[in-house]
Amino acid sequence: MPLSLVSTALALLSITPALAAPTNNLFKRAALPAYALTYAPYTYLQSGEAWFPSDVSTHLKHMSVESNFKNVSTTVSLKTLNTFPSSDYLTSYDNVETNPAWLTSGYGKPNSKGYSAAPATIIAVEKNGFVDVFYFYFYSYNHGSLVLGSRVDNHVGDWEHSMIRFSTAGVPQNVYYSAHSSGTAYTYSAVQKVGVRPVVYSAAGSHANYATAGTQEIYPIIGDIVTDTTDAGTYWDVTQNYRGYYYTNATGVVTNAGGVDVGGIEQASETVDWLYWSGMWGDEQYPTSDSRQNCALGIDDLCHYQSGPTGPLTKNLGRTAVCQKEDGCTVKTSL
Ligand SMILES: *[C@@H]1O[C@H](CO)[C@@H](O)[C@H](O)[C@H]1NC(C)=O
Ligand SMILES: *[C@@H]1O[C@H](CO)[C@@H](O)[C@H](O)[C@H]1NC(C)=O
């Protein structure tokens, strides 16, 4: 800036009272609060998992952008993502049936210490009387479940999350586990923990989050014909590599909080715009005329391939209830 402006700015600084230290409100653009990492989920990928965590920026390198199955752009990046309409679909260059390396994301498989080269996305939201910290897990592919012998609900791009609600003093109160279009909420004291960290089990292929290991009935399908499987397979410690943000519910504004390691290094040169994009992170559901597609009993929900999901800001970050779907949200007091 010109020198005259600098001196004006300095003059203003000297007459402006010092900003009060943050009290209840966390300082924007500061790092995430320490408790968000101290109590972060202790995440287990299922031992048979073959579709690993993915870095959103790596995913985009393998995507074109389509509108009504027509290419509108052959390239897209975190920087340009939010220039596309929310009705667009990120679409794989590769035929997903060839299992390209970016789709299985072997590079994102956590090592023996829990470190994944794919940064998680952690978003803190200060609310009136509490702070919700969302831990988002991104995978480039969702390998669907078997329903009566057919595999349904494969899709490119997969966003899942768990959320811990803290008091403003940083004491954990509740934990939410997203699973398919819904999820389950518990009190913090009810859930299994390693040390102080709630255990989150990620189901094989679908990556749905559960509080327990075992066979999980997929809500809301009644009966146990469709299940997820979880176990204490590969430990993923999201605190070792993440992109961190604050989201202000009243204004819808996202600010950088910074991450560590790879995510932190990348994030320093990134804008937050990509989070504002509310389009789909994977291919639009292939039509039945596509030889890869097959819909059991002709039912749309039972198609082999479904559309990719929308991103973190569409998951009701402004919620008051603990659950993403607030109506009828029950916070369970035991597992
Ligand atoms: C989109 O266009 C690019 C470049 O022409 C092409 O390589 C790619 O296969 C197209 N994507 C799809 C899904 O048709
Ligand atoms: C977040 O914003 C939405 C929309 O303005 C509002 O309905 C909701 O109550 C807010 N959430 C909280 C926790 O204040």
Side-chain angles (χ1 to χ4, degrees):
M1 80 178 78
L3 270 181
S4 58
L5 278 183
V6 172
S7 52
T8 311
L10 286 175
L12 275 175
L13 273 178
S14 62
I15 56 163
T16 309
L19 287 172
T23 48
N24 286 338
N25 280 341
L26 299 163
F27 206 48
K28 298 297 190 294
R29 294 181 186 276
L32 290 172
Y35 58 78
L37 304 181
T38 303
Y39 295 97
Y42 197 97
T43 308
Y44 281 120
L45 302 176
Q46 204 268 345
S47 51
E49 185 58 77
W51 291 270
F52 291 101
S54 173
D55 184 334
V56 285
S57 68
T58 303
H59 182 76
L60 294 185
K61 291 192 180 112
H62 300 278
M63 297 290 122
S64 56
V65 185
E66 293 201 354
S67 173
N68 290 323
F69 298 101
K70 298 245 165 13
N71 251 345
V72 293
S73 179
T74 54
T75 58
V76 59
S77 64
L78 288 182
K79 196 173 170 131
T80 63
L81 185 58
N82 196 39
T83 63
F84 296 98
S86 60
S87 52
D88 286 356
Y89 290 79
L90 295 176
T91 304
S92 166
Y93 276 97
D94 300 312
N95 177 356
V96 297
E97 300 209 323
T98 64
N99 254 352
W102 61 266
L103 183 144
T104 50
S105 307
Y107 71 90
K109 182 178 184 180
N111 68 16
S112 60
K113 296 195 165 76
Y115 168 85
S116 168
T121 301
I122 306 181
I123 307 176
V125 191
E126 299 157 74
K127 297 178 181 173
N128 191 13
F130 52 94
V131 178
D132 286 349
V133 182
F134 293 84
Y135 304 86
F136 278 95
Y137 314 98
F138 180 71
Y139 308 82
S140 277
Y141 196 65
N142 182 97
H143 184 65
S145 315
L146 280 175
V147 181
L148 307 173
S150 307
R151 192 158 302 277
V152 305
D153 197 27
N154 290 323
H155 51 85
V156 175
D158 190 20
W159 281 105
E160 298 290 339
H161 72 274
S162 46
M163 184 273 276
I164 304 179
R165 174 162 294 178
F166 296 90
S167 71
T168 49
V171 180
Q173 317 277 305
N174 302 118
V175 187
Y176 177 74
Y177 299 77
S178 80
H180 302 278
S181 56
S182 186
T184 311
Y186 298 90
T187 56
Y188 171 77
S189 60
V191 303
Q192 184 191 340
K193 288 172 276 288
V194 172
V196 297
R197 300 174 64 174
V199 174
V200 169
Y201 292 96
S202 167
S206 81
H207 310 122
N209 288 188
Y210 296 96
T212 56
T215 301
Q216 316 284 349
E217 190 176 303
I218 299 179
Y219 179 88
I221 299 171
I222 308 301
D224 57 4
I225 57 163
V226 191
T227 55
D228 268 333
T229 308
T230 56
D231 66 23
T234 306
Y235 166 48
W236 178 15
D237 179 6
V238 295
T239 69
Q240 292 186 41
N241 189 13
Y242 62 91
R243 291 179 172 90
Y245 304 92
Y246 287 99
Y247 173 73
T248 306
N249 183 52
T251 56
V253 170
V254 178
T255 49
N256 259 317
V260 293
D261 196 52
V262 179
I265 291 165
E266 291 179 347
Q267 198 181 347
S269 59
E270 292 167 1
T271 63
V272 302
D273 301 26
W274 66 275
L275 280 162
Y276 295 125
W277 187 63
S278 54
M280 282 56 70
W281 281 77
D283 302 27
E284 184 166 6
Q285 181 170 327
Y286 304 143
T288 47
S289 57
D290 188 313
S291 60
R292 296 170 294 185
Q293 185 61 290
N294 163 48
C295 302
L297 312 169
I299 297 171
D300 206 55
D301 274 351
L302 298 183
C303 289
H304 188 57
Y305 287 103
Q306 312 241 338
S307 292
T310 55
L313 261 54
T314 65
K315 310 297 181 185
N316 194 10
L317 302 191
R319 68 187 73 168
T320 301
V322 184
C323 308
Q324 182 177 342
K325 283 186 180 160
E326 301 189 65
D327 282 353
C329 177
T330 306
V331 179
K332 297 185 175 181
T333 54
S334 64
L335 287 177

